[in-house]
Amino acid sequence: MIAPLPGLRLHPGYFDRAAQEALVEALRAVVAAAPLFTPRMPKTGKPFSVRMTNCGRLGWVSDAAGYRYQTTHPDTGAPWPAIPAALLHAWEALADYPAPPEACLVNVYAPTARMGLHQDRDEEDFEAPILSVSLGDSCVFRFGGTTRGAATRSFRLHSGDALTFGGPARLAFHGVDRILPGTSTLLAQGGRINLTLRRVTKPAPARG
Ligand code: MD3
Ligand code: FE
């Protein structure tokens, strides 16, 4: 048994079924304004198995030129739609951080999609936690230490779960080993959606 890194907080079932359905409706509007795109690996251009979009002032994108945050959709050039209010409320309740999130990455997993072990380090501000919300089919989530070689452990994330990653967990390696098809009835087509809310820039210091 590997001790989890301090700073990881799991809130199982934070969103009840009605709240999950409302989030899916809000995400339909997000995807209508900002269509899903297939990110590609820097340099190789190899496509991710996960499709993505974003809401918020800044969106995370990846293509042959690299990983970055930008204010516009890579295909349409339009600004990203607003972050749904229910997610802003969850950030206020769970993030313990004095500034709002700037980016909400929407990852859409088909039943065979996965995400390799990685760190999230394209942000300027590592003091803010990351808030993740799972919807749809459960997945096997893998979580390790702050070096690639550190021991990892895996656990399942279910529809409606919220997690915050702050402190040492903010820079932990993590990934999604696999989706567990047929474990949720939330999404008619099956699969999984993950929402990741992040602060990207450092907030202006409070004046006093
Ligand atoms: C731990 N997404 O978008 S969410 C990502 O399920 C990403 O789609 C996965 O990793 C997904 O970058 C995992 C949980 C998560 C998100 C960000 C983290 C865990 C994290 C950042 C630091 C440590
Ligand atoms: Fe990540």
Side-chain angles (χ1 to χ4, degrees):
M1 175 67 183
I2 301 151
L5 267 181
L8 165 60
R9 284 171 57 207
L10 178 58
H11 304 270
Y14 182 80
F15 291 95
D16 67 15
R17 176 70 186 214
Q20 293 171 41
E21 287 173 1
L23 268 179
V24 171
E25 275 312 300
L27 290 172
R28 279 188 216 293
V30 165
V31 170
L36 294 172
F37 59 92
T38 299
R40 291 177 174 274
M41 289 297 290
K43 297 190 193 126
T44 65
K46 185 178 181 289
F48 284 43
S49 61
V50 174
R51 291 186 303 154
M52 297 180 173
T53 190
N54 291 272
C55 46
R57 189 176 74 79
L58 294 170
W60 188 86
V61 301
S62 181
D63 57 25
Y67 306 131
R68 63 193 175 275
Y69 283 92
Q70 61 183 44
T71 57
T72 55
H73 191 286
D75 299 332
T76 69
W80 305 104
I83 299 176
L87 293 172
L88 296 175
H89 293 150
W91 175 274
E92 280 169 25
L94 302 179
D96 189 27
Y97 194 76
E102 295 170 295
C104 174
L105 175 62
V106 180
N107 292 329
V108 177
Y109 291 78
T112 57
R114 54 184 297 281
M115 189 176 286
L117 208 63
H118 67 277
Q119 288 173 298
D120 287 19
R121 43 183 322 145
D122 300 321
E123 301 75 30
E124 178 195 332
D125 186 352
F126 294 144
E127 293 188 6
I130 285 177
L131 169 62
S132 149
V133 176
S134 294
L135 294 171
D137 284 338
S138 303
C139 75
V140 179
F141 176 67
R142 186 162 292 280
F143 186 73
T146 54
T147 59
R148 188 172 280 282
T152 64
R153 54 178 219 146
S154 68
F155 53 94
R156 289 178 182 200
L157 297 180
H158 307 290
S159 195
D161 289 356
L163 292 87
T164 58
F165 301 87
R170 172 63 182 78
L171 287 171
F173 279 84
H174 59 278
V176 173
D177 288 356
R178 62 195 181 93
I179 304 302
L180 300 167
T183 48
S184 166
T185 57
L186 183 69
L187 305 172
Q189 330 286 347
R192 172 174 182 266
I193 300 174
N194 181 264
L195 308 169
T196 303
L197 283 85
R198 304 189 179 99
R199 186 76 205 174
V200 179
T201 67
K202 293 192 168 104
R207 289 193 284 171

